[in-house]
Amino acid sequence: MASIDPDSPWTLHPQVSVRPEPFGALLYHFGTRRLSFLKDRTLLDVVERLADAPSPRAACADAGVAEAHLPTYLRALGTLAESRMITPREAEERAA
């Protein structure tokens, strides 16, 4: 499983579409044709905040994630990074 730097900027990959659902959300990557399920509405909130937050840690704090639960959310974000659903913000900005 990939890990991400909790203090560096990340964002949703530009080829990823998010569809909110009652259980969380579906993420579809048009480039890789992969589908990911977010089974937690708070994780969806974190993912949606990544683009504007200075870091995943800040996005988690803004979404109301308690410090004790931060490692769980960072692991989930690491999994999304591994599947290229989220990407470091600098890399995304250079590609644009």
Side-chain angles (χ1 to χ4, degrees), residues 21-25 38-50 56 58-66 69-70 72-74 76-77 80:
E21 295 287 343
F23 60 82
L38 301 184
K39 298 177 185 176
D40 182 331
R41 299 283 296 183
T42 303
L43 181 56
L44 171 60
D45 196 13
V46 170
V47 168
E48 289 178 331
R49 292 172 185 268
L50 283 175
C60 286
D62 291 346
V65 174
H69 297 133
L70 185 60
T72 301
Y73 284 86
L74 292 178
L77 292 173
L80 291 174

Side-chain angles (χ1 to χ4, degrees), residues 1-94:
M1 179 185 327
S3 63
I4 64 170
D5 178 354
D7 298 309
S8 65
W10 284 75
T11 193
L12 195 64
H13 192 284
Q15 290 185 310
V16 172
S17 175
V18 177
R19 187 171 101 188
E21 295 287 343
F23 60 82
L26 296 172
L27 275 61
Y28 182 74
H29 194 300
F30 287 94
T32 64
R33 303 175 98 182
R34 293 186 78 176
L35 182 66
S36 290
F37 295 87
L38 301 184
K39 298 177 185 176
D40 182 331
R41 299 283 296 183
T42 303
L43 181 56
L44 171 60
D45 196 13
V46 170
V47 168
E48 289 178 331
R49 292 172 185 268
L50 283 175
D52 296 323
S55 68
R57 183 185 311 275
C60 286
D62 291 346
V65 174
E67 188 69 29
H69 297 133
L70 185 60
T72 301
Y73 284 86
L74 292 178
R75 277 193 301 275
L77 292 173
T79 299
L80 291 174
E82 189 173 83
S83 62
R84 296 183 11 205
M85 295 292 177
I86 63 172
T87 185
R89 198 174 308 146
E90 298 89 359
E92 191 271 330
E93 288 171 356
R94 281 193 302 266

